[in-house]
Amino acid sequence: VQLVESGGGLVQAGGSLRLSCAASGFPFDDYGIAWFRQAPGKEREGLSCIKSADGQTYYADSVKGRFTISSDDAKNMVYLQMNSLEPDDTAVYYCAATLSVLSPWVFQPDLYTYWGQGTQVTVSS
């Protein structure tokens, strides 16, 4: 099982980045894939989730309207388009997979079975 994130980097405030998550080794269509982030000294924060089976999406209030999650089921890929980035968005971003996408617990990290290694996003002011 592998989840591999890519697309992080350094960007100025107001800029955009697109993160990618490549999934392999598990039945992609059965899982929900989410993006989390963790900044130094802070708890891991759930940002967005997409259910592969029906395409339903979920967003945290902190990123609603700025971030967009999407998937390419044929390629087992999930993307996070991040616009209007702010210095507070600086963190390591992770993708994770779960069989249990249940509102309102969508962003409970303990429900996620598989995790990627993370990709660093740094937003300069």
Side-chain angles (χ1 to χ4, degrees):
V1 173
Q2 268 197 319
L3 291 169
V4 181
E5 304 93 339
S6 61
L10 174 64
V11 64
Q12 288 188 331
S16 299
L17 282 175
R18 187 194 194 208
L19 304 183
S20 299
C21 174
S24 62
F26 61 94
F28 186 81
D29 291 347
D30 293 343
Y31 280 71
I33 307 293
W35 287 96
F36 290 78
R37 69 185 177 189
Q38 189 164 20
K42 295 188 177 180
E43 292 188 355
R44 191 162 294 192
E45 176 190 11
L47 305 175
S48 186
C49 179
I50 186 166
K51 289 174 62 178
S52 300
D54 59 11
Q56 188 170 359
T57 58
Y58 304 82
Y59 292 94
D61 289 343
S62 59
V63 302
K64 201 172 293 183
R66 298 192 300 127
F67 292 8
T68 303
I69 194 169
S70 62
S71 67
D72 184 337
D73 294 349
K75 296 181 179 179
N76 285 10
M77 295 289 296
V78 174
Y79 307 97
L80 187 69
Q81 177 66 43
M82 306 187 295
N83 298 328
S84 302
L85 285 163
E86 305 163 354
D88 283 349
D89 294 317
T90 296
V92 178
Y93 284 68
Y94 301 89
C95 62
T98 180
L99 279 171
S100 303
V101 180
L102 298 172
S103 181
W105 304 283
V106 173
F107 297 128
Q108 288 281 359
D110 289 349
L111 295 179
Y112 287 79
T113 306
Y114 305 124
W115 290 84
Q117 83 289 348
T119 186
Q120 176 71 45
V121 171
T122 303
V123 184
S124 63
S125 58

